[in-house]
Every structure is written in structure tokens, then in C-alpha cells.
Amino acid sequence: MTRLLIIGPPGSGKGTQAEHLARHFGIPSVSTGEIFRSNVSQETELGNQAAKYLDGGDFVPDHLTNAMVRKRLLDGDASSGFLLDGYPRTVLQVVELDNMLASQGRMLDAVVELQAPDAELEERMLRRAREQGRTDDTIEIFRRRLDLYHRQTHEVVSVYAGRGILVSVNGSGDPGEITGLAIDAVEQFLASPRPRPD
Ligand code: ADP
């Protein structure tokens, strides 16, 4: 029954940590980046519309992204919890998600923020470019994604901090250790008494 969101800059290992956290909490991981990439490779209508934004490191327009998430969260496996990865990325998307969840009488339980210095992120991205060959993993596009993160997604972090549900984790170092830190931090947070708005 856990509803989580993971936020982190490009190259922070967000996708990997999302998989581990989701497995630990027994919830599906809903990664907007992954869903877009698989639509692009299968050349679906959504994929064809989204491809140019992914390749350019830009956000896919909200009408496409919001509709996709809304539909995904209605799937049966997400009814008792999920871990969102990559959405919401802007304050407007936060409002959309609030509405989607409110219509089911739900809200997020915790938001995990992975923190890592820009220089380390760039280094990791270059490694991933060699290993996975993602079309948006070039240095220029990466800097654009990082810049978008700092300008827009940071605000999202502030919104959740204001709601008292932000759990920040040091995302620098060994991936296995980071997973352990993140799981401990989330469990501790979920176990702690906190005021719930009604
Ligand atoms: P990263 O966090 O490493 O940049 P993601 O896999 O989360 O990568 O996202 C890859 C791309 O997918 C983004 O650069 C963007 O084009 C698109 N995307 C993912 N999530 C969203 C979103 N919430 N809103 C708009 N575009 C998105």
C-alpha cells in the first residue's frame, strides 16, 4: 500500500534505484522514461510523437505525458501501490498527479530525492553512453537535461519538502550501498508518526 516517487538528476542512478526500491516494497515501478523509450522502439503512435523530444533531451508535452501516466496508474497492478520514476517533473505535473490520486482518495506517502554532484553525474552518464547507447546520452543533450532538472524539477522537490514527505538520500558512491541507504531512509520515514492532511 505504498505510493512512492523517486526524483533525481539525470545520471543519478534513479532508474536502477527505482527497480531495487520497487522490488523491496513489492510495488510496480512506473518509469515514464522507460515507457516512452519502449513506445519509441515499438514505433507506436505515442512513441512517434514523443521521439523527437526524447532525442533532444526536452520534456515530452504534458498532454501526452499526463494521459500516459493517468492510464498506467489505473492498471490493476498499481492499485495497491507504485513507485513513480520520472513523473512529476514540473509543478504543473505535480498538480495533475494530485488530481489523479485525489480522484482515488490517495496521496503519495514519500518522495525519495537522490542527490549527487554535477561532475559525478556527467561521469556516470558518459559510462552509461558506452554501455547502453541511449540516444539522449551525449554530452550536449545530457547538459540540457541536467539544466532542465535544475530549473524545473528542483521546484518539484521543494513542493514535496513543503508537504513534509521528502526523504533525501546521498546518491553518490556505491549503488548497492545507496540502495540500502534509500530503503532504510524510506522505511524509517514511513514508520515515523507524521501529520496527515485530511
Ligand atoms: P533521466 O532522468 O536519466 O533524464 P528518464 O528516463 O527519466 O531519464 O527520461 C528520459 C526522457 O523521457 C526525458 O528526457 C523526457 O524527454 C522524457 N520524459 C520522462 N519523464 C517525463 C515527464 N514527466 N515529462 C516530460 N517528459 C518526460
Side-chain angles (χ1 to χ4, degrees):
M1 278 300 176
T2 317
R3 290 176 185 79
L4 303 175
L5 158 65
I6 185 164
I7 299 187
S12 62
K14 173 172 66 71
T16 310
Q17 297 304 337
E19 291 303 324
H20 290 299
L21 281 173
R23 199 169 316 126
H24 177 84
F25 287 99
I27 48 182
S29 144
V30 175
S31 157
T32 43
E34 291 270 303
I35 303 175
F36 281 132
R37 279 188 291 278
S38 95
N39 274 275
V40 170
S41 65
Q42 290 167 39
E43 297 182 22
T44 65
E45 197 184 325
L46 174 66
N48 294 338
Q49 286 172 304
K52 63 171 187 270
Y53 301 102
L54 266 86
D55 287 347
D58 295 313
F59 289 156
V60 176
D62 271 357
H63 69 278
L64 296 174
T65 308
N66 292 332
M68 177 181 89
V69 174
R70 184 176 289 276
K71 184 163 168 285
R72 177 65 186 88
L73 292 186
L74 288 173
D75 286 347
D77 66 332
S79 65
S80 54
F82 52 75
L83 172 78
L84 277 169
D85 159 10
Y87 181 96
R89 259 177 156 88
T90 63
V91 173
L92 274 176
Q93 291 183 356
V94 170
V95 175
E96 278 293 321
L97 177 64
D98 284 344
N99 290 336
M100 289 176 211
L101 294 179
S103 66
Q104 304 171 8
R106 313 281 186 210
M107 61 177 71
L108 287 177
D109 297 301
V111 176
V112 180
E113 180 202 17
L114 284 181
Q115 298 176 322
D118 284 4
E120 186 173 329
L121 299 171
E122 198 164 300
E123 204 176 290
R124 289 197 199 171
M125 181 283 302
L126 290 170
R127 196 175 332 130
R128 182 169 72 186
R130 288 193 297 271
E131 291 166 3
Q132 299 179 7
R134 260 173 59 168
T135 51
D136 56 354
D137 276 344
T138 66
I139 198 77
E140 294 76 21
I141 307 268
F142 173 79
R143 289 196 175 134
R144 189 180 170 82
R145 281 155 54 215
L146 191 56
D147 178 57
L148 265 177
Y149 181 83
H150 287 311
R151 281 191 291 126
Q152 303 225 33
T153 313
H154 227 75
E155 267 186 87
V156 173
V157 171
S158 306
V159 169
Y160 290 121
R163 293 185 190 177
I165 58 167
L166 187 69
V167 178
S168 297
V169 175
N170 183 350
S172 193
D174 173 68
E177 276 171 31
I178 298 166
T179 304
L181 283 177
I183 289 175
D184 288 350
V186 173
E187 286 196 327
Q188 207 172 28
F189 177 79
L190 294 176
S192 64
R194 66 217 118 99
R196 310 280 328 213
D198 40 29

